[in-house]
Amino acid sequence: MIREIVIISGKGGTGKTSIAAAFASLMENGVLCDADVDAANLHLLLKPKVVESHAFMGGGIAEIRNEDCVACGVCLDVCKFDAISEDYHVDPIACEGCGVCVDMCPQEAIDFPTQQCGEWFHSETRFGPMIHARLGIAEENSGKLVSLVRQEGRQLAEAEGRNLLLTDGPPGVGCPVIAAVGGAAALVIVVEPTVSGLHDMQRVAQLGQHFGVPGLVAVNKFDLNVEMTEKIEAWAVEQSLGLVGRIPFDPSFVKAMVAAENIIEFAPESDAAKTVREIWKKVLASKAMNNMGIADLR
Amino acid sequence: MIISIASGKGGTGKTTVAANLALSLQDSGLVKDFNMLDCDVEEPNLHLFLDPGVLTETEITTFVPVVDQEKCTGCRKCVDICRFAALAFVKETVLVFPALCHSCGGCELVCEFGAIGDDSRSLGVVESGMVNGHAIHTGRIRIGEAMSPPLIKAVRRHENEAELTLIDAPPGTSCPVIAAMRGADFVLLVTEPTPFGLHDLQLAVEAVKVLGIPAGLVINRADLGDNTVQEYAESEGLEILMKIPFERSFAEAYSRGESIVNVSPEWREKFQRLYTRIAEIVEAKA
């Protein structure tokens, strides 16, 4: 039975990756996934050695062969994305890849080449194997790449007899986050005690509920606003989310990042490191991670 | 003029900069009228710092097909043209999966029997309000909806309603960010001087280059971290327009939904100078 913990936050910059990297050194027999394919950062702390790299192919993009084009205007009429200019050139950024112009062109003058829109990697780190990826600049299909990273992570865990996937998720509630949460055992929601932290956590918690994945809330930098921390925790309890702990504001997180280490390595005796260890224990002991009955008995 | 405020990495201070810029431009005499668009539709936060009062809500929907089974002959042309697997032919029936539809309209075009009709899917809402006489329009994606670019475009329909538009963009470098930066006159990048901040700034700079828009940099929490962001900016010729130090009082004010100019009014002038410099750069390019 492989269980996956996905770290999300709604709002960006609340400390997802710093906490994921710290969890990585506490994890036993797991596989790491970086599902923030747009602006991946986990590799900056874990310094993975790439074992294999693979192209990530997205959909097609329309390309007009101007020598065969008779300027009839059909493609301009059918394109809903304003991606074709008056002089019959396709703007590859605006093109949605629907291929309607390709199929409707009476001259068959439009090609639809498949695009490489990123890369994904199987790597080794000091804490175990890692699957990560890089989406090309200005590309679409981030959800598809997130799904691929998690699927490859799961296959690797199966092949190596590992029982845990630890996934660093993307910010927001849109396409890549939707692709990151489905099928996870638990979401660790990292929140900062600010009005925007609360607002954004509420939205991402709703998304977790929408997909039926239990959420566990950790408040980072809790001492910046204790009143807000209490408000966040009260809301979480009301929504039947678990509470796994409060991490103090500690500049060591930034110093650790500069040293390419996690907080457990950089400042093992700090309060922050101690809290992160306790949070990890609570996550593993949570109902969300132990609710499968018979499978657990093995 | 349209200024899009973006970052690559989340949580670096985009919304802080947007809110402080807006508050500093009010009654400054620098710009006649301006409006604000929150295009971080997955997690819109700008309104939390500006108190827009009563909001009018407009639902934004997108086309999805509906199949008239009476007229459908099972020719499968609609299924074949759909590149997003939003239509499937199962047991002699065309099934629609609305969540996967990109609203390209291909199915409707190829159906010879008029069997495809218009239905719609909600993308979310645009909330419109006023902050001291300046309009703010906030996109808010429906929870469970994956596609944000069409909603971002709907928010941006308001950008011609004022002389100056400030756009609060989403984090990242993929399609939603592009939708929030395209066509802007200037991209104001906000980062923090950490390895994560630098890495994601480099990606954001690449995205801005793809679009060919002039850009400048604000370094937030400038005294935490290291010097690499500054060195990178210098090597790229990316002008550092402002540095905001880390101050616990700023962080605490932010946590309560207050802005820097509320706790340190002397910053109002600095944000006005930031705007003036951006206007100069845009002018020089024009």
Side-chain angles (χ1 to χ4, degrees):
Chain A
M1 170 89 212
I2 299 167
R3 286 203 176 79
E4 182 178 14
I5 299 168
V6 180
I7 303 172
I8 54 169
S9 63
K11 177 168 161 41
T14 63
K16 276 185 302 297
T17 303
S18 289
I19 290 170
F23 282 174
S25 64
L26 302 171
M27 165 186 95
E28 283 169 33
N29 203 28
V31 173
L32 299 157
C33 291
D34 191 347
D36 187 359
V37 299
D38 234 78
N41 287 149
L42 191 59
H43 66 283
L44 298 172
L45 296 186
L46 301 186
K47 303 277 171 206
K49 285 194 189 71
V50 174
V51 180
E52 286 170 26
S53 61
H54 303 263
F56 168 62
M57 305 305 286
I61 290 285
E63 262 180 33
I64 299 173
R65 291 191 313 278
N66 291 86
E67 64 275 21
D68 297 323
C69 171
V70 296
C72 67
V74 167
C75 56
L76 282 172
D77 288 342
V78 300
C79 179
K80 290 275 201 295
F81 306 99
D82 297 325
I84 304 172
S85 64
E86 293 292 331
D87 61 346
Y88 298 95
H89 285 90
V90 178
D91 173 351
I93 295 174
C95 177
E96 184 80 4
C98 68
V100 172
C101 59
V102 178
D103 289 11
M104 302 308 281
C105 176
Q107 301 296 315
E108 298 186 6
I110 307 181
D111 294 331
F112 199 57
T114 305
Q115 307 287 308
Q116 178 175 346
C117 53
E119 260 186 300
W120 68 271
F121 314 96
H122 167 189
S123 298
E124 284 299 331
T125 76
R126 60 192 183 277
F127 306 122
M130 173 170 170
I131 305 290
H132 51 125
R134 185 180 166 160
L135 189 69
I137 301 293
E139 288 292 355
E140 308 196 4
N141 294 302
S142 61
K144 219 165 138 185
L145 184 52
V146 168
S147 300
L148 180 68
V149 163
R150 291 178 67 212
Q151 185 193 325
E152 291 294 336
R154 195 165 277 268
Q155 279 174 10
L156 183 64
E158 262 164 31
E160 297 190 356
R162 295 172 184 267
N163 57 15
L164 188 71
L165 277 184
L166 179 60
T167 300
D168 188 13
V173 295
C175 161
V177 188
I178 290 172
V181 302
L187 304 175
V188 173
I189 307 176
V190 180
V191 195
E192 58 173 41
T194 63
V195 286
S196 34
L198 171 64
H199 172 272
D200 295 356
M201 166 197 71
Q202 291 177 327
R203 286 172 60 75
V204 84
Q206 276 173 35
L207 186 76
Q209 285 162 354
H210 186 90
F211 286 97
V213 185
L216 304 168
V217 171
V219 183
N220 192 16
K221 309 180 208 173
F222 84 91
D223 47 342
L224 281 183
N225 189 334
V226 176
E227 207 182 313
M228 187 61 78
T229 296
E230 283 163 1
K231 211 167 157 181
I232 285 166
E233 291 176 342
W235 187 85
V237 169
E238 220 175 87
Q239 298 293 315
S240 310
L241 300 169
L243 296 180
V244 286
R246 296 173 168 189
I247 304 163
F249 174 76
D250 188 343
S252 300
F253 276 106
V254 171
K255 289 179 192 151
M257 196 195 286
V258 171
E261 291 185 355
N262 67 35
I263 191 81
I264 306 278
E265 296 168 297
F266 186 81
E269 296 309 316
S270 62
D271 285 348
K274 284 179 195 160
T275 336
V276 170
R277 281 193 207 98
E278 279 162 29
I279 290 174
W280 178 246
K281 277 190 208 146
K282 281 194 188 162
V283 169
L284 291 187
S286 68
K287 216 163 102 189
M289 292 296 289
N290 297 280
N291 65 349
M292 298 303 282
I294 292 167
D296 286 323
L297 300 175
R298 280 195 223 130
Chain B
M1 177 165 67
I2 300 165
I3 302 174
S4 189
I5 301 161
S7 71
K9 175 166 159 45
T12 58
K14 282 181 297 298
T15 302
T16 296
V17 169
N20 280 287
L21 199 52
L23 292 170
S24 304
L25 288 174
Q26 282 176 11
D27 310 314
S28 67
L30 287 173
V31 54
K32 256 193 285 182
D33 64 326
F34 67 89
N35 64 5
M36 297 152 277
L37 308 183
D38 196 341
C39 289
D40 187 358
V41 301
E42 294 180 35
E43 297 290 19
N45 288 154
L46 187 58
H47 66 287
L48 297 170
F49 298 86
L50 294 172
D51 196 14
V54 184
L55 301 173
T56 20
E57 209 175 272
T58 312
E59 190 180 25
I60 305 298
T61 61
T62 190
F63 161 84
V64 295
V66 58
V67 181
D68 183 339
Q69 302 296 349
E70 298 283 305
K71 292 183 184 165
C72 177
T73 62
C75 74
R76 300 186 48 130
K77 280 191 177 166
C78 57
V79 175
D80 293 340
I81 199 171
C82 182
R83 259 87 178 180
F84 306 109
L87 294 160
F89 196 64
V90 182
K91 291 191 183 166
E92 307 296 304
T93 309
V94 175
L95 295 181
V96 182
F97 299 95
L100 300 178
C101 177
H102 286 227
S103 311
C104 69
C107 50
E108 207 171 15
L109 273 175
V110 292
C111 181
E112 291 163 25
F113 307 97
I116 303 272
D118 285 20
D119 200 352
S120 69
R121 175 176 96 230
S122 173
L123 295 169
V125 294
V126 176
E127 300 164 348
S128 303
M130 295 295 265
V131 181
N132 295 329
H134 302 283
I136 176 167
H137 303 280
T138 300
R140 182 178 290 275
I141 202 168
R142 176 177 58 81
I143 295 295
E145 171 60 49
M147 286 167 217
S148 55
L151 181 58
I152 293 171
K153 284 180 194 160
V155 180
R156 291 194 60 181
R157 282 185 212 126
H158 293 283
E159 68 195 12
N160 295 322
E161 295 164 6
E163 183 188 331
L164 169 69
T165 295
L166 301 175
I167 294 178
D168 194 0
T173 57
S174 65
C175 40
V177 191
I178 300 300
M181 298 199 304
R182 280 200 99 182
D185 298 292
F186 192 83
V187 174
L188 184 56
L189 294 164
V190 184
T191 195
E192 57 179 36
T194 64
F196 292 0
L198 172 65
H199 177 265
D200 297 351
L201 172 67
Q202 290 170 328
L203 299 176
V205 167
E206 292 306 313
V208 172
K209 279 187 194 161
V210 169
L211 296 172
I213 305 173
L217 184 64
V218 173
I219 304 181
N220 191 18
R221 301 189 274 267
D223 41 355
L224 297 181
D226 58 16
N227 224 6
T228 49
V229 163
Q230 174 138 359
E231 286 162 15
Y232 166 76
E234 280 160 11
S235 73
E236 273 289 319
L238 183 65
E239 186 172 331
I240 298 170
L241 300 167
M242 179 183 260
K243 286 183 181 177
I244 305 172
F246 176 79
E247 282 191 23
R248 206 170 161 113
S249 67
F250 291 178
E252 287 173 357
Y254 175 90
S255 79
R256 298 187 300 266
E258 289 170 28
S259 294
I260 295 172
V261 295
N262 297 137
V263 291
S264 281
E266 68 271 21
W267 276 83
R268 199 174 130 90
E269 208 190 308
K270 296 184 189 176
F271 277 99
Q272 288 170 352
R273 279 206 300 272
L274 170 65
Y275 169 73
T276 308
R277 179 66 193 132
I278 291 171
E280 275 171 20
I281 296 170
V282 171
E283 182 98 344
K285 293 267 174 187

